Amino acid sequence: MSDNEENYDVVVVGSGGGGLIGGYIAASRGLRTLVIEKTDQVGGTTSYSGSGLWFPGSAPTRRAGIDDSDLESARQYMRKAVDDPAREELQDAYLSAGIALIDELEQNTWFQTFEHQPVPDYLEHLEGATPHGRSIFPPPIAVNEVGDKASIVRKSIYTERYGHTEDEMFVGGRALIARALSAFLATGNGVLKLNTALTGLVVDGDRIVGVEALSEGEPVRLRAGRGVLLAAGGFEHNAELRAKYGTLPSNAEWSDGVDSNVGDALVAGIAVGAETDLMDEAWYVPGTVQPDGKPVFQTGIRGGIWVNGAGERFVNELRPYDQAGHVIRDGEREAEGSHAPAYWVFDHKAFERDGFGGKGPDVPVSAEWFESGALKKADSLEELAELIGVPPAALVDSVKTFNGYVEGGVDEEFHRGESAWDQMFQFIVGYPALPEQNFVVPLPAEGPNPLLTATDTPPYYAATILLSDIGTKGGLKTDASARVLRADGQPIRGLYATGNTMAAMSGPVYLGAGTPIGSSLAFAYRAALHLADDTE
């Protein structure tokens, strides 16, 4: 072996949730496994997330009293939502993998017990959907429990971009990453290389046998006796690829994915003959523009309405974020009536009740919001319309119409507040605490609807809403074992993909909280089992 070559059983590209879980599963079965990460921190976009895992029938959902034991209702829901027979085998693989993976992880002290939280399925009108959802979450873990490894766990998006202070606990996606990294290294078979960027795949005949990379700036060949798992995220921050595939928005800086996700693994897979799918799709979300000019994932609102460039309301503002994002995306594709940018218009009553900028009513809104123009303020709706560049009469009419719905208690146009998902937002800043139970509480039978409040108290405010995403959804086509496929449907031996490097098993839809990370973990698990079996 030369100085610039190393040998492993498995090489995993990417250190997000799927990469580390795939690495752990392979290493726990005695395979010498290398995880490479192009940056100096592990976690990828998973670290930015709440780390929900949409895993019907898994042990945490059963412990919560949700009977998905036969999976038929969940399968029926998936079939209706995705509506694509070509993805049914992937769906079934996903469902079985989620149950088995959580059973296995909960046997490891680093993972402990996952917890169900009541987040409704996003397409609740479909048969098989549930108001309590099937989303589970990793428990928090103290930073000091993780030891020296804690310093390399990627910070949250709010800390990375805006300098927010992290506390002494890893929560959400950071908790999952901290636990997975610790478990992976504790196997004794796991090796991590930071600052190691994939540059290509090593091909021997018809098989992938390793990767070429730049490690600390030096070229290295990393051989993989069993195979390579690509788990390096999507191409969300690659403007050239977004333009090539028509993935809106064209501005890559508007993505909430980690900046290093530029499609390295995708390009490497295409170069060896991999087929792709869903390349114009993303995990779309609305994003509220911050003082630095970039949007950050916005879900739910605490008051007011969203209007488009014509000054017209165009969506239920509480709609699940992927659905609201697609409405904005579709509006951007139209020649008229563009919803990008859109504007969140609210009044001083909402401003005082809820605050702004994600810090609650007791924290003053910093001057930079107004100084940057990210948040505009005016004494009248007409003046506000001039500031944001929409027709004043249209904005006044939109607010008047909505206020009429408030008075009647029903949003006749977009039905805000009627779904179980919407009704979660009763329990936000300014409202009562979320009750300790596994079902969403319906709206009060009497009295005002807390999700419909009039916009009628000056001064008025407007923030800008842009189309954003939490990652691209298009990627390499795979089979149920996460093996990457050629155009003829045959697997490329030794090559696997998961996460946003893989074309989503859910097609263009978002099933429930934790579909992206759940998919990443489930197919990383399937890939690692296939690698460990070595039946090729």
Side-chain angles (χ1 to χ4, degrees):
M1 182 176 69
S2 65
D3 292 340
N4 67 341
E5 184 171 295
E6 300 175 14
N7 289 321
Y8 300 90
D9 295 314
V10 175
V11 174
V12 180
V13 182
S15 69
L20 288 176
I21 291 296
Y24 164 70
I25 296 298
S28 70
R29 283 156 172 76
L31 301 181
R32 182 164 168 76
T33 303
L34 171 68
V35 172
I36 65 172
E37 165 57 48
K38 71 186 295 186
T39 73
D40 61 358
Q41 295 179 307
V42 300
T45 304
T46 303
S47 287
Y48 288 174
S49 75
S51 200
L53 306 170
W54 194 80
F55 280 161
S58 60
T61 65
R62 298 196 303 271
R63 289 194 294 265
I66 299 168
D67 184 14
D68 265 335
S69 57
D70 62 3
L71 291 185
E72 283 312 306
S73 63
R75 183 175 289 108
Q76 184 178 47
Y77 171 62
M78 294 179 79
R79 296 287 197 264
K80 294 286 187 181
V82 179
D83 192 23
D84 183 355
R87 299 185 193 280
E88 291 182 0
E89 185 179 3
L90 291 175
Q91 293 167 24
D92 292 342
Y94 172 89
L95 288 172
S96 62
I99 295 171
L101 173 61
I102 295 303
D103 284 347
E104 181 167 338
L105 294 184
E106 289 193 335
Q107 299 304 307
N108 185 303
T109 56
W110 275 112
F111 290 101
Q112 298 182 342
T113 302
F114 289 76
E115 302 168 348
H116 171 264
Q117 293 183 19
V119 184
D121 291 333
Y122 291 171
L123 298 157
E124 66 174 57
H125 63 285
L126 296 179
E127 196 168 356
T130 67
H132 46 68
R134 286 115 166 176
S135 302
I136 66 172
F137 297 81
I141 183 171
V143 172
N144 60 14
E145 286 187 49
V146 181
D148 293 342
K149 300 181 291 296
S151 63
I152 63 170
V153 174
R154 182 172 292 279
K155 304 293 191 295
S156 73
I157 188 172
Y158 301 101
T159 296
E160 281 200 350
R161 291 191 184 177
Y162 310 116
H164 290 200
T165 302
E166 303 283 354
D167 59 23
E168 297 179 355
M169 297 293 292
F170 285 129
V171 299
R174 301 187 75 217
L176 178 65
I177 292 299
R179 291 178 181 281
L181 174 64
S182 299
F184 170 65
L185 295 176
T187 63
N189 294 313
V191 179
L192 173 69
K193 280 185 180 290
L194 300 177
N195 300 307
T196 301
L198 173 72
T199 56
L201 296 166
V202 181
V203 182
D204 185 0
D206 65 348
R207 187 182 182 96
I208 303 302
V209 295
V211 305
E212 302 278 4
L214 282 177
S215 185
E216 302 290 352
E218 296 295 324
V220 61
R221 174 168 288 190
L222 305 167
R223 290 194 170 272
R226 297 289 183 98
V228 173
L229 172 59
L230 301 177
F235 58 94
E236 47 268 22
H237 281 281
N238 188 319
E240 182 179 346
L241 289 181
R242 293 189 82 112
K244 177 179 179 179
Y245 294 112
T247 313
L248 295 177
S250 55
N251 190 334
E253 293 302 307
W254 293 355
S255 175
D256 282 339
V258 69
D259 289 350
S260 55
N261 287 356
V262 294
D264 301 333
L266 172 73
V267 171
I270 292 171
V272 296
E275 181 65 294
T276 61
D277 194 17
L278 297 171
M279 298 299 286
D280 65 341
E281 278 287 346
W283 301 98
Y284 286 117
V285 298
T288 301
V289 174
Q290 308 293 297
D292 67 356
K294 296 181 181 180
V296 165
F297 183 0
Q298 173 72 47
T299 183
I301 67 169
R302 303 176 176 88
I305 61 173
W306 290 357
V307 299
N308 60 20
E312 299 170 347
R313 187 167 176 242
F314 63 94
V315 72
N316 167 9
E317 299 84 357
L318 291 179
R319 195 171 181 177
Y321 42 87
D322 176 69
Q323 296 172 34
H326 271 90
V327 170
I328 297 173
R329 191 278 307 269
D330 293 345
E332 187 173 351
R333 287 179 169 173
E334 296 173 2
E336 298 179 1
S338 174
H339 307 326
Y343 301 96
W344 175 8
V345 175
F346 54 98
D347 68 356
H348 195 64
K349 177 171 73 272
F351 184 82
E352 285 195 321
R353 182 191 66 198
D354 307 316
F356 190 78
K359 295 185 178 180
D362 298 327
V363 180
V365 175
S366 64
E368 65 177 343
W369 278 96
F370 296 102
E371 293 168 354
S372 66
L375 186 60
K376 299 183 186 297
K377 177 180 177 181
D379 291 330
S380 69
L381 288 171
E382 291 87 350
E383 182 184 350
L384 188 69
E386 295 288 350
L387 289 177
I388 61 178
V390 305
L395 178 59
V396 170
D397 185 63
S398 294
V399 171
K400 180 180 178 181
T401 299
F402 179 74
N403 288 348
Y405 297 153
V406 173
E407 186 175 347
V410 176
D411 178 2
E412 297 177 8
E413 189 172 11
F414 296 107
H415 308 284
R416 177 161 139 192
E418 295 178 14
S419 72
W421 167 267
D422 289 11
Q423 289 164 17
M424 283 196 308
F425 292 92
Q426 297 175 82
F427 308 102
I428 56 175
V429 174
Y431 295 126
L434 183 66
E436 294 183 2
Q437 60 181 56
N438 283 321
F439 298 91
V440 174
V441 175
L443 294 172
E446 298 180 359
N449 183 338
L451 300 175
L452 299 177
T453 57
T455 299
D456 59 6
T457 306
Y460 297 97
Y461 302 83
T464 301
I465 302 291
L466 292 174
L467 179 61
S468 184
D469 60 65
I470 50 177
T472 48
K473 187 179 286 189
L476 308 178
K477 289 189 72 171
T478 66
D479 67 7
S481 294
R483 295 182 297 176
V484 175
L485 303 176
R486 303 182 190 277
D488 63 3
Q490 294 302 305
I492 300 174
R493 298 180 66 211
L495 187 61
Y496 303 76
T498 195
N500 289 344
T501 306
M502 165 190 170
M505 68 88 195
S506 57
V509 302
Y510 206 134
L511 299 164
T515 305
I517 298 176
S519 297
S520 186
L521 267 60
F523 287 100
Y525 180 64
R526 301 279 301 190
L529 293 182
H530 198 273
L531 284 159
D533 189 38
D534 195 30
T535 56
E536 289 192 300

